[in-house]
């Protein structure tokens, strides 16, 4: 049962334009959402997170939007830079106890110079 | 500040054998979580250790076991290896167990079972 889904395996975006990565979840108990970025031969690196009490969180070029009623979140990167080329994972958890991160399958983002 | 390190980097084992993977957590972190990432998939939670005790387990059989030591480093042991155990094994350390604590991942150990 895939509780966190990233339906786009890959995405190509022109440098300078906006990259939008999408993520859907099915478990309504999730209340904390995270995006991780992964380069080859490295572990995932935390990018940005959002609590379910918010609908938007911004950090520099990165903004995460959460639509709880649709069980959908998205990551916006603007402007996109060549160094943003990586695999992006959406993850979700419960914000207490020992809850694990539940990851999506990832979206490979390629920024075209 | 030393990041999360894992050893070995790569490992090839034969079906039926046993393997031990190691993880050194980031300085000051008391929680270690282990994940399995199969090819083309996202990481899947195996288990978490907090202050040397198992503190949660994912949907993995008992032949996957672990340890956490007083210095908070950790081991993942897998017995009776199967071909499907071939994957990247990631460990992540954090300051606490709640989902809002940022998890810092190591580079992983690539295990191939033949």
């Amino acid at each position: 049962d895939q509780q966190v889904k990233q339906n786009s395996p890959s995405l190509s975006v022109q440098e300078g334009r906006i990259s939008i990565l999408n993520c859907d979840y099915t478990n309504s108990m999730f209340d904390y959402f995270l995006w991780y970025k992964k380069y080859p031969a490295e572990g995932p690196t935390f990018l940005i997170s959002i609590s379910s009490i918010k609908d938007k969180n911004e950090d520099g070029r990165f903004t995460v939007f959460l639509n709880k009623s649709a069980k959908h979140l998205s990551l916006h990167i603007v402007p996109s830079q060549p160094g943003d080329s990586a695999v992006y994972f959406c993850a979700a958890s419960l914000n207490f106890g020992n809850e694990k991160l539940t990851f999506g399958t990832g979206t490979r983002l390629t920024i075209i110079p | 500040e030393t990041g999360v390190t894992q050893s070995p980097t790569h490992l090839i084992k034969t079906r039926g054998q046993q393997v031990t993977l190691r993880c050194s957590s980031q300085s000051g972190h008391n929680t270690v979580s282990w994940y399995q990432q199969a090819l083309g998939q996202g990481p899947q939670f195996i288990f978490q250790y907090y202050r040397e005790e198992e503190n949660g387990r994912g949907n993995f059989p008992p032949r996957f076991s672990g340890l956490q030591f007083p210095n908070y480093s950790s081991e993942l042991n897998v017995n009776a290896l199967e071909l499907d155990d071939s994957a990247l094994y990631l460990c992540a350390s954090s300051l606490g167990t709640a989902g809002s604590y940022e998890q810092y991942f190591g580079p992983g150990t690539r295990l191939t079972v033949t």
Side-chain angles (χ1 to χ4, degrees), chain A residues 3-4 23-27 30 33 66 68 71-73:
Chain A
Q3 296 188 67
V4 178
C23 177
D24 297 293
Y25 62 96
T26 56
N27 187 345
F30 287 141
F33 303 90
L66 175 63
K68 281 175 57 181
K71 295 193 181 68
H72 177 84
L73 65 156

Side-chain angles (χ1 to χ4, degrees), chain B residues 10-82:
Chain B
H10 296 91
L11 202 52
I12 300 174
K13 289 284 190 179
T14 303
R15 190 171 49 184
Q17 286 188 314
Q18 180 266 342
V19 69
T20 298
L21 310 182
R22 293 178 175 83
C23 171
S24 290
S25 55
Q26 185 152 317
S27 177
H29 286 185
N30 56 20
T31 304
V32 172
S33 302
W34 285 91
Y35 293 82
Q36 180 197 66
Q37 186 181 7
L39 202 60
Q41 302 296 314
Q44 280 203 300
F45 176 75
I46 302 174
F47 42 56
Q48 182 185 81
Y49 278 82
Y50 171 65
R51 294 186 173 178
E52 303 178 59
E53 297 285 333
E54 187 178 290
N55 190 46
R57 188 177 184 94
N59 191 24
F60 281 81
R63 58 189 186 83
F64 285 78
S65 63
L67 278 174
Q68 188 181 30
F69 300 100
N71 66 355
Y72 301 134
S73 66
S74 179
E75 284 182 356
L76 164 66
N77 299 291
V78 188
N79 293 323
L81 283 166
E82 300 177 0

Side-chain angles (χ1 to χ4, degrees), chain A residues 15-35:
Chain A
E15 181 179 358
R17 305 295 291 268
I18 183 171
S19 296
I20 300 175
L21 296 96
N22 293 304
C23 177
D24 297 293
Y25 62 96
T26 56
N27 187 345
S28 58
M29 297 298 291
F30 287 141
D31 63 0
Y32 199 73
F33 303 90
L34 309 91
W35 285 93

Side-chain angles (χ1 to χ4, degrees), chain A residues 32 36 38 41-44 46 89 93-101 103-105, chain B residues 35 37 40-43 45 48 55-56 88 90 97-100 102-103 105-107:
Chain A
Y32 199 73
Y36 279 82
K38 188 178 186 304
E42 294 183 13
F46 170 76
F89 291 99
S93 77
L94 298 179
N95 191 23
F96 60 86
N98 63 359
E99 280 305 320
K100 62 191 186 287
L101 293 178
F103 283 87
T105 52
Chain B
Y35 293 82
Q37 186 181 7
Q41 302 296 314
F45 176 75
Q48 182 185 81
N55 190 46
L88 180 69
L90 295 161
T97 62
S100 58
E102 182 179 339
Q103 295 194 20
F105 282 84

